[in-house]
Amino acid sequence: MHEKPLILPFDPAGISLDRRRGLSQQLYQALRERVLDGRLCSGTRLPATRDLASVLGLSRNSVVRAYDQLYAEGYIESRVGDGTYVTRLPKLSTQLSTGLYRGLSTGLSTFGQENTEDLSSQHSWSEPLQRLKNHHLPPPKQGAPRAFRLGIPAFDLFPFDVWAKLQAGFWRNPAPAQLGYGDPAGEPALRELIAAYLRRSRGLTCTAEQIVITSGAQQAISLCAQLLLQPGDRVAVENPGYRAAAHAFSVAGAQVAGVPVDEEGMECARLGQLPGCRLAYVTPAHQYPTGVTMSLPRRLALLGWAERNDGWIIEDDYDGEYRYSGAPLAPLAALDRAGRVLYVGTFGKIAFPALRLGYLVLPAQLAQAFSQGKALAVRHSEVSSQCVMAEFMARGHFQRHIRRMRKAALSRRNVLKAGWPVDIAGLGSMPEVAAGLHVKVSVDNFAREQALVAKAEAVGVEVAALSNFWLADSEVPVDKRAGLVLGFAAVPEGEIAAALMKLRKAWRKG
């Protein structure tokens, strides 16, 4: 006799399972997708586990496990004596069901160029999400450092063997008190050592209580934007300048106003022409990206503006350790007598950016509020990197490494200067570089700037366009924004010389 074919309460056609992977998980996903997109509507009776296993050629245990997961997540329900049914679910919108069908918890996954365009047509998004459409960071450069990548110190000189021993020592027998929730302001030992370092190296008189540890300088800037600004407040930024800071202020709802930069730094007299300006963001020791140093008269003028207008100054000292003649400059914060300067420091330019370790030195009246604000965002910073850095500093490794890095950066700068092409039409000569890890070179017009950058990229050399550092609404003519910005610390001297040979050959063609 022929067995009668099984008649299931739904059609399993289309359920395709890869026998090389977990079958119960695949079946769970297939059934879940059908519930969410409506192919298995609410109240549909599911086949018995033995019957479905027979039709799909699976073990009954695989089907049981898939049903158990669906039951645990609320997609199906069991009725005593009556079988298993799809739970009665509220009807999902097409967009949401599609997002869930793809395994996403929402319609958003990343804010890359390909999917931010949808934000402008979605009236339900919050204002910060709408602002983020035009104010987000570009993807970071991938792969190992190459000439002339910006923002990268000499990884090849970092004492990873020392760091590894200190890291292993911390985790070998960590104190139980360090494994719970820590102080949101950061590990006390590290904050004490940072305060001592700043007093000695920068002449900045501060205490550990004024310091909040952050996940790099960017989190410090974002905290300032979040806690010091109200939507509609005006913020003055250097133009050209560090666009990531301007993005943070814009996403907080501020109106960002670009202030021109000349050979003395930000033109601080312009601040008086910005009604409602509450905050100024500056890089006075080594302006990013032009490399100029803010003069003392400008520094005093900026401090005077803040005091008269009850304003704040964010001083980003991102690469202040790199000064090639004399000691690092005293920061604005060391001149501040009114408690208006928030000083941003980072270990990323001495160690490596992936460490994500920075700090804020705050006016005393802001320290507790910033600690509380940070706690709401991330509770506290990761403990081991803080403790290892504290030990790294306490044993003298930090100061020795700074000296080594400064010497290496100077040597690499000299190779760049000696080999810079001098006979390329429209390309300026290499200026003197007294500080920092990058240099700005003039170019006579925008079209030539773009051509030089493209030719460099074609031969595997990274050169940044100065025009990318200007605010989009700048009044400066586009040809006046042209230039090149080169980092010179990321790779050894031999690689710098080889990259310069490539540039000379590529730029002379055509």
Side-chain angles (χ1 to χ4, degrees):
M1 293 181 60
H2 296 288
E3 293 186 9
K4 296 175 66 175
L6 284 172
I7 300 176
L8 300 182
F10 79 98
D11 183 4
I15 296 180
S16 177
L17 304 176
D18 184 347
R19 303 285 164 170
R20 297 168 298 179
R21 299 189 294 115
L23 295 172
S24 61
Q25 181 69 12
Q26 291 181 72
L27 179 59
Y28 150 76
Q29 290 173 341
L31 294 174
R32 174 177 174 270
E33 289 168 359
R34 283 160 173 75
V35 171
L36 290 171
D37 66 17
R39 285 178 286 172
L40 278 175
C41 58
S42 298
T44 299
R45 187 176 188 273
L46 295 180
T49 55
R50 192 181 306 278
D51 292 343
L52 186 56
S54 176
V55 168
L56 296 176
L58 303 177
S59 71
R60 182 168 175 258
N61 284 340
S62 293
V63 180
V64 168
R65 285 195 293 270
Y67 274 26
D68 285 346
Q69 186 66 27
L70 292 166
Y71 177 78
E73 294 182 11
Y75 292 101
I76 62 176
E77 59 188 13
S78 178
R79 301 178 187 176
V80 177
D82 194 26
T84 301
Y85 291 80
V86 175
T87 303
R88 297 194 178 277
L89 300 171
K91 187 174 182 180
L92 300 175
S93 70
T94 302
Q95 182 183 15
L96 183 58
S97 64
T98 301
L100 289 168
Y101 172 79
R102 291 175 180 168
L104 303 176
S105 59
T106 70
L108 292 175
S109 57
T110 66
F111 288 96
Q113 194 66 33
E114 67 279 2
N115 53 17
T116 54
E117 294 304 313
D118 293 336
L119 290 179
S120 60
S121 61
Q122 299 295 331
H123 300 294
S124 61
W125 296 122
S126 67
E127 287 188 15
L129 280 175
Q130 291 281 10
R131 291 192 289 266
L132 194 59
K133 176 179 182 291
N134 295 317
H135 299 288
H136 56 274
L137 300 179
K141 297 286 187 180
Q142 298 298 315
R146 55 177 177 162
F148 294 97
R149 185 171 296 179
L150 285 172
I152 301 296
F155 295 163
D156 53 305
L157 298 181
F158 188 77
F160 289 105
D161 55 341
V162 172
W163 189 266
K165 289 176 182 177
L166 295 175
Q167 186 89 17
F170 173 82
W171 287 117
R172 193 172 296 118
N173 187 27
Q178 294 176 311
L179 300 181
Y181 292 104
D183 187 336
E187 287 298 305
L190 179 58
R191 290 155 61 207
E192 288 281 3
L193 286 160
I194 291 172
Y197 166 68
L198 292 175
R199 288 194 297 268
R200 182 177 64 251
S201 70
R202 299 291 201 283
L204 176 53
T205 302
C206 61
T207 66
E209 289 71 29
Q210 292 175 257
I211 294 174
V212 170
I213 303 298
T214 61
S215 295
Q218 190 64 35
Q219 188 189 41
I221 295 166
S222 294
L223 267 176
C224 293
Q226 175 189 350
L227 299 178
L228 298 180
L229 297 172
Q230 299 183 61
D233 282 348
R234 185 165 287 179
V235 176
V237 300
E238 299 162 326
N239 197 28
Y242 181 49
R243 294 296 302 278
H247 290 326
F249 302 137
S250 295
V251 170
Q255 298 179 40
V256 174
V259 178
V261 173
D262 62 17
E263 66 278 0
E264 293 186 61
M266 176 189 273
E267 296 181 7
C268 299
R270 302 269 190 125
L271 296 176
Q273 303 168 18
L274 299 175
C277 186
R278 295 275 298 128
L279 188 151
Y281 169 85
V282 291
T283 53
H286 185 237
Q287 201 275 331
Y288 192 82
T290 67
V292 302
T293 298
M294 183 180 284
S295 67
L296 180 58
R298 294 273 177 91
R299 292 171 183 242
L300 296 175
L302 183 57
L303 290 168
W305 166 84
E307 188 170 359
R308 289 190 306 274
N309 294 277
D310 194 27
W312 302 105
I313 302 167
I314 300 176
E315 177 181 17
D316 189 348
D317 192 20
Y318 62 99
D319 65 358
E321 285 82 6
Y322 294 94
R323 192 148 200 93
Y324 305 120
S325 59
L329 298 179
L332 264 174
L335 300 174
D336 180 24
R337 297 294 178 264
R340 311 310 304 177
V341 178
L342 296 85
Y343 177 90
V344 176
T346 178
F347 291 101
K349 299 295 185 288
I350 288 295
F352 44 91
L355 186 62
R356 305 315 304 145
L357 197 58
Y359 53 90
L360 269 166
V361 182
L362 298 152
Q365 70 269 27
L366 293 180
Q368 183 179 8
F370 270 70
S371 178
Q372 292 168 340
K374 184 193 167 189
L376 289 175
V378 296
R379 188 62 74 96
H380 63 89
S381 297
E382 190 274 329
V383 64
S384 70
S385 58
Q386 294 185 75
C387 292
V388 172
M389 180 56 77
E391 195 72 9
F392 191 73
M393 296 176 78
R395 296 191 182 194
H397 299 300
F398 184 66
Q399 284 287 14
R400 284 192 292 273
H401 185 55
I402 287 176
R403 290 192 293 270
R404 184 186 309 117
M405 293 288 275
R406 190 182 294 131
K407 182 178 178 181
L410 176 60
S411 176
R412 296 175 185 193
R413 180 209 71 172
N414 291 342
V415 173
L416 173 61
K417 183 178 179 180
W420 185 247
V422 295
D423 54 355
I424 307 299
L427 177 64
S429 60
M430 177 63 55
E432 292 298 322
V433 182
L437 300 175
H438 71 268
V439 59
K440 187 269 290 185
V441 180
S442 61
V443 175
D444 64 354
N445 64 70
F446 177 76
R448 196 182 308 277
E449 173 208 74
Q450 295 294 296
L452 292 172
V453 170
K455 289 178 179 180
E457 185 63 34
V459 295
V461 179
E462 291 181 19
V463 177
L466 180 64
S467 59
N468 292 337
F469 293 85
W470 293 79
L471 296 179
D473 59 355
S474 299
E475 296 179 359
V476 177
V478 66
D479 282 343
K480 296 293 186 182
R481 305 182 202 176
L484 303 179
V485 187
L486 301 92
F488 52 77
V491 297
E493 290 85 344
E495 293 183 40
I496 292 174
L500 288 169
M501 289 182 64
K502 291 180 182 179
L503 289 183
R504 281 193 293 272
K505 183 181 294 186
W507 286 349
R508 283 170 180 161
K509 286 183 180 178

